[in-house]
Amino acid sequence: MTKRTIENFDISQICESGQCFRMMQRNGNVYSVIAAGRYLEVEQEGSECVFSCGEEEFEKFWRGYFDLEKDYSFYISQIDPRDGYLKGAAQFGSGIRILRQELWEVIASFLISQQNNIVRIRRCINNICERYGEPKVNFRGEEYFAFPEPEALAHLPEDALKECNLGYRSKYVVRTAASIAKGETNLENICRMPYGQAKEELLKLFGVGEKVADCICLMGLHHTQAFPVDTHIRQALDKHYKRGFPKRRYKGYEGILQQYIFYWELKNGGKAADAAKQARKKGA
């Protein structure tokens, strides 16, 4: 076990933020995570966290995975004090961090995410892992499955993953897996590219559009300037940023702020932000 006191870290918020689909609430304040073939449980009370791994594994892998080297209070402190909506969103989701996930898993996950919801995405990914992933055993003696490598899916017929409830997205994942397995798409090269170039390469993949490319850049490559725009973000922009989100002011970490907005809109549609805004007006 490894214990840490961590500010601006909330495992429940991270779990529900739509970044990672192999994280789930196990019971109460205990959450499980499967990443890079590893299994972890995190128990949290306030800022006190207990990780079910030794110090060496925590320092070698999980510290980086959860992006614990970064001071997220800095990003929140830089928000324009006149922007009540963004301040409210950041306060609401202040425990979110941008995970450092494996690129291939993120690509497949966000191909599956299109026209889908978080519950169904998790189910689809769980089905793929159980059918094609490598079986492993966690510290409790329970079986779990690693995310399948591209080679495990590359040989499949394009509609094979419909059996895993992917629907039309099956061909996106299978074709992309084949492209990677054949060496047509080099993930190591993409990992070394700057944001703009990486996004351009990702857009070449079958089924990847602007939003999915930016999701992959943010969640899979940790390009925190990527600003994915989905339905939730579009609604927030139309309502609160008619002239566009002030990316220049937050250059380099606008993607982190995007996650606060996304989580806020996902959980309550921004209603709390509107209420806070009206309360401030009445108190003025």
Side-chain angles (χ1 to χ4, degrees):
M1 298 291 180
T2 298
K3 296 182 180 181
R4 290 289 188 278
T5 300
I6 310 171
E7 302 299 329
N8 297 108
F9 177 87
D10 188 319
I11 192 64
S12 66
Q13 291 183 357
I14 296 170
C15 178
E16 298 172 3
S17 66
Q19 293 183 66
C20 170
F21 306 102
R22 306 208 69 199
M23 186 181 297
M24 61 179 291
Q25 184 177 21
R26 187 175 173 99
N27 57 69
N29 58 351
V30 178
Y31 287 75
S32 64
V33 190
I34 301 173
R38 302 168 185 260
Y39 178 91
L40 178 76
E41 290 181 13
V42 183
E43 182 175 2
Q44 183 169 11
E45 285 285 354
S47 60
E48 302 301 316
C49 304
V50 178
F51 299 87
S52 66
C53 63
E55 287 281 348
E56 183 178 354
E57 182 180 348
F58 179 82
E59 292 295 334
K60 182 179 178 180
F61 182 79
W62 294 109
R63 175 187 287 279
Y65 177 82
F66 288 115
D67 203 28
L68 298 181
E69 296 89 350
K70 297 282 182 65
D71 178 9
Y72 276 63
S73 67
F74 168 78
Y75 304 124
I76 296 173
S77 72
Q78 297 304 299
I79 295 174
D80 185 344
R82 298 168 297 178
D83 191 340
Y85 171 77
L86 187 55
K87 284 179 67 68
Q91 182 178 3
F92 183 74
S94 62
I96 294 173
R97 287 174 178 260
I98 306 299
L99 303 175
R100 293 182 179 273
Q101 304 180 73
E102 286 195 323
L103 180 55
W104 156 240
E105 181 173 343
V106 172
I107 291 173
S109 297
F110 281 95
L111 284 171
I112 293 169
S113 76
Q114 298 179 75
Q115 302 298 314
N116 220 338
N117 61 57
I118 292 175
V119 173
R120 287 194 63 219
I121 298 166
R122 284 177 176 155
R123 189 179 305 126
C124 290
I125 292 174
N126 185 62
N127 291 342
I128 291 175
C129 292
E130 289 187 354
R131 183 174 287 245
Y132 299 104
E134 178 187 354
K136 293 176 175 287
V137 178
N138 67 19
F139 69 93
R140 295 182 181 276
E142 301 166 342
E143 186 176 53
Y144 71 98
F145 297 86
F147 195 87
E149 297 296 329
E151 292 76 12
L153 307 178
H155 68 284
L156 298 175
E158 290 193 352
D159 63 351
L161 297 181
K162 287 183 177 181
E163 295 181 1
C164 297
N165 297 324
L166 267 66
Y168 69 88
R169 307 166 195 85
S170 174
K171 61 181 179 291
Y172 295 165
V173 176
V174 172
R175 283 199 199 180
T176 299
S179 176
I180 295 168
K182 293 175 183 176
E184 298 168 354
T185 300
N186 189 311
L187 298 187
E188 291 184 2
N189 287 346
I190 293 175
C191 286
R192 291 192 288 266
M193 293 175 182
Y195 165 57
Q197 189 178 353
K199 181 176 178 180
E200 187 176 330
E201 286 300 308
L202 291 169
L203 285 168
K204 296 176 182 178
L205 297 176
F206 183 62
V208 173
E210 287 282 331
K211 185 207 79 172
V212 170
D214 271 327
C215 285
I216 297 168
C217 283
L218 181 60
M219 284 79 155
L221 293 168
H222 214 76
H223 291 307
T224 53
Q225 65 268 58
F227 193 91
V229 178
D230 72 338
T231 302
H232 294 291
I233 297 298
R234 174 51 56 200
Q235 290 174 346
L237 295 179
D238 289 346
K239 189 171 184 179
H240 301 283
Y241 301 98
K242 298 185 184 300
R243 296 182 180 179
F245 188 78
K247 294 182 181 179
R248 184 175 298 178
R249 179 186 178 94
Y250 306 114
K251 185 175 178 59
Y253 58 94
E254 53 265 54
I256 295 172
L257 302 184
Q258 182 269 2
Q259 276 293 281
Y260 296 142
I261 295 172
F262 175 82
Y263 181 71
W264 185 290
E265 294 293 327
L266 179 70
K267 300 300 287 185
N268 59 33
K271 292 177 182 177
D274 293 339
K277 186 175 182 181
Q278 291 300 319
R280 284 193 297 274
K281 284 183 177 180
K282 291 180 180 178

Tab-separated table of all heavy atoms in Angstrom, residues 11-31:
chain	number	residue	atom	x	y	z
A	11	ILE	N	-10.690	10.874	-7.236
A	11	ILE	CA	-10.782	9.689	-8.076
A	11	ILE	C	-12.194	9.493	-8.628
A	11	ILE	O	-12.363	8.997	-9.752
A	11	ILE	CB	-10.307	8.432	-7.306
A	11	ILE	CG1	-10.122	7.241	-8.255
A	11	ILE	CG2	-11.237	8.110	-6.156
A	11	ILE	CD1	-9.050	7.410	-9.279
A	12	SER	N	-13.219	9.899	-7.880
A	12	SER	CA	-14.595	9.746	-8.379
A	12	SER	C	-14.849	10.686	-9.551
A	12	SER	O	-15.513	10.313	-10.532
A	12	SER	CB	-15.605	10.009	-7.252
A	12	SER	OG	-15.568	11.364	-6.835
A	13	GLN	N	-14.341	11.910	-9.476
A	13	GLN	CA	-14.504	12.847	-10.583
A	13	GLN	C	-13.739	12.383	-11.812
A	13	GLN	O	-14.246	12.461	-12.940
A	13	GLN	CB	-14.031	14.240	-10.163
A	13	GLN	CG	-14.919	14.909	-9.135
A	13	GLN	CD	-14.465	16.313	-8.792
A	13	GLN	OE1	-13.436	16.796	-9.275
A	13	GLN	NE2	-15.227	16.982	-7.944
A	14	ILE	N	-12.535	11.889	-11.623
A	14	ILE	CA	-11.744	11.391	-12.751
A	14	ILE	C	-12.468	10.225	-13.414
A	14	ILE	O	-12.544	10.131	-14.641
A	14	ILE	CB	-10.342	10.971	-12.282
A	14	ILE	CG1	-9.568	12.189	-11.764
A	14	ILE	CG2	-9.571	10.299	-13.409
A	14	ILE	CD1	-8.263	11.850	-11.066
A	15	CYS	N	-13.025	9.332	-12.587
A	15	CYS	CA	-13.737	8.173	-13.096
A	15	CYS	C	-14.907	8.576	-13.984
A	15	CYS	O	-15.177	7.931	-14.999
A	15	CYS	CB	-14.234	7.328	-11.921
A	15	CYS	SG	-15.194	5.875	-12.386
A	16	GLU	N	-15.588	9.659	-13.618
A	16	GLU	CA	-16.800	10.067	-14.316
A	16	GLU	C	-16.563	11.161	-15.357
A	16	GLU	O	-17.508	11.684	-15.937
A	16	GLU	CB	-17.836	10.553	-13.291
A	16	GLU	CG	-18.264	9.461	-12.313
A	16	GLU	CD	-19.126	9.983	-11.192
A	16	GLU	OE1	-19.444	11.190	-11.202
A	16	GLU	OE2	-19.494	9.195	-10.297
A	17	SER	N	-15.292	11.490	-15.610
A	17	SER	CA	-14.999	12.626	-16.491
A	17	SER	C	-14.943	12.270	-17.969
A	17	SER	O	-14.698	13.145	-18.798
A	17	SER	CB	-13.661	13.268	-16.079
A	17	SER	OG	-12.581	12.371	-16.319
A	18	GLY	N	-15.137	10.996	-18.311
A	18	GLY	CA	-15.170	10.610	-19.717
A	18	GLY	C	-13.811	10.471	-20.368
A	18	GLY	O	-13.716	10.411	-21.597
A	19	GLN	N	-12.765	10.402	-19.577
A	19	GLN	CA	-11.409	10.222	-20.129
A	19	GLN	C	-11.051	8.757	-20.289
A	19	GLN	O	-10.424	8.359	-21.259
A	19	GLN	CB	-10.363	10.809	-19.179
A	19	GLN	CG	-10.351	12.282	-18.996
A	19	GLN	CD	-9.187	12.657	-18.086
A	19	GLN	OE1	-8.023	12.489	-18.431
A	19	GLN	NE2	-9.503	13.153	-16.904
A	20	CYS	N	-11.397	7.988	-19.264
A	20	CYS	CA	-10.952	6.603	-19.146
A	20	CYS	C	-12.171	5.726	-18.911
A	20	CYS	O	-13.045	6.073	-18.110
A	20	CYS	CB	-9.979	6.492	-17.972
A	20	CYS	SG	-9.555	4.811	-17.525
A	21	PHE	N	-12.234	4.595	-19.590
A	21	PHE	CA	-13.418	3.751	-19.515
A	21	PHE	C	-13.157	2.411	-18.834
A	21	PHE	O	-13.999	1.526	-18.851
A	21	PHE	CB	-13.975	3.541	-20.926
A	21	PHE	CG	-14.236	4.843	-21.631
A	21	PHE	CD1	-13.366	5.328	-22.598
A	21	PHE	CD2	-15.332	5.619	-21.288
A	21	PHE	CE1	-13.592	6.538	-23.219
A	21	PHE	CE2	-15.577	6.831	-21.900
A	21	PHE	CZ	-14.699	7.300	-22.879
A	22	ARG	N	-11.982	2.287	-18.197
A	22	ARG	CA	-11.664	1.084	-17.444
A	22	ARG	C	-11.394	1.436	-15.981
A	22	ARG	O	-10.589	0.813	-15.300
A	22	ARG	CB	-10.484	0.338	-18.064
A	22	ARG	CG	-10.673	0.026	-19.534
A	22	ARG	CD	-9.935	-1.204	-19.946
A	22	ARG	NE	-10.536	-2.401	-19.357
A	22	ARG	CZ	-9.890	-3.572	-19.255
A	22	ARG	NH1	-8.628	-3.664	-19.655
A	22	ARG	NH2	-10.492	-4.620	-18.735
A	23	MET	N	-12.096	2.436	-15.526
A	23	MET	CA	-12.051	2.866	-14.139
A	23	MET	C	-13.485	2.785	-13.624
A	23	MET	O	-14.407	3.215	-14.299
A	23	MET	CB	-11.521	4.301	-14.063
A	23	MET	CG	-11.289	4.818	-12.655
A	23	MET	SD	-10.674	6.541	-12.668
A	23	MET	CE	-9.106	6.356	-13.525
A	24	MET	N	-13.663	2.215	-12.443
A	24	MET	CA	-15.031	2.072	-11.942
A	24	MET	C	-15.054	2.086	-10.417
A	24	MET	O	-14.049	1.813	-9.757
A	24	MET	CB	-15.659	0.762	-12.445
A	24	MET	CG	-14.931	-0.496	-12.011
A	24	MET	SD	-15.731	-2.002	-12.597
A	24	MET	CE	-17.228	-1.981	-11.603
A	25	GLN	N	-16.215	2.429	-9.877
A	25	GLN	CA	-16.399	2.402	-8.428
A	25	GLN	C	-16.572	0.957	-8.002
A	25	GLN	O	-17.452	0.253	-8.487
A	25	GLN	CB	-17.626	3.221	-8.041
A	25	GLN	CG	-17.843	3.335	-6.549
A	25	GLN	CD	-19.032	4.220	-6.213
A	25	GLN	OE1	-19.911	4.441	-7.043
A	25	GLN	NE2	-19.051	4.738	-5.000
A	26	ARG	N	-15.717	0.523	-7.117
A	26	ARG	CA	-15.784	-0.865	-6.642
A	26	ARG	C	-16.767	-0.975	-5.485
A	26	ARG	O	-17.650	-1.805	-5.486
A	26	ARG	CB	-14.391	-1.341	-6.228
A	26	ARG	CG	-14.344	-2.813	-5.880
A	26	ARG	CD	-12.950	-3.286	-5.583
A	26	ARG	NE	-12.986	-4.661	-5.093
A	26	ARG	CZ	-12.732	-5.718	-5.848
A	26	ARG	NH1	-12.422	-5.570	-7.124
A	26	ARG	NH2	-12.791	-6.936	-5.336
A	27	ASN	N	-16.605	-0.128	-4.512
A	27	ASN	CA	-17.573	-0.011	-3.419
A	27	ASN	C	-17.237	1.232	-2.614
A	27	ASN	O	-16.066	1.544	-2.395
A	27	ASN	CB	-17.570	-1.256	-2.514
A	27	ASN	CG	-16.215	-1.551	-1.928
A	27	ASN	OD1	-15.738	-0.793	-1.076
A	27	ASN	ND2	-15.585	-2.628	-2.369
A	28	GLY	N	-18.255	1.947	-2.199
A	28	GLY	CA	-18.043	3.141	-1.396
A	28	GLY	C	-17.071	4.106	-2.025
A	28	GLY	O	-17.271	4.574	-3.139
A	29	ASN	N	-15.981	4.383	-1.316
A	29	ASN	CA	-14.978	5.320	-1.811
A	29	ASN	C	-13.756	4.604	-2.381
A	29	ASN	O	-12.658	5.165	-2.426
A	29	ASN	CB	-14.557	6.292	-0.707
A	29	ASN	CG	-14.009	5.580	0.517
A	29	ASN	OD1	-14.092	4.355	0.618
A	29	ASN	ND2	-13.458	6.337	1.453
A	30	VAL	N	-13.945	3.364	-2.815
A	30	VAL	CA	-12.870	2.578	-3.431
A	30	VAL	C	-13.148	2.422	-4.922
A	30	VAL	O	-14.235	1.997	-5.318
A	30	VAL	CB	-12.746	1.183	-2.782
A	30	VAL	CG1	-11.646	0.373	-3.471
A	30	VAL	CG2	-12.459	1.305	-1.285
A	31	TYR	N	-12.143	2.773	-5.729
A	31	TYR	CA	-12.268	2.695	-7.184
A	31	TYR	C	-11.164	1.801	-7.737
A	31	TYR	O	-10.043	1.790	-7.224
A	31	TYR	CB	-12.166	4.088	-7.813
A	31	TYR	CG	-13.397	4.926	-7.584
A	31	TYR	CD1	-13.649	5.498	-6.338
A	31	TYR	CD2	-14.322	5.137	-8.605
A	31	TYR	CE1	-14.795	6.246	-6.110
A	31	TYR	CE2	-15.462	5.890	-8.387
A	31	TYR	CZ	-15.702	6.437	-7.146
A	31	TYR	OH	-16.838	7.172	-6.929
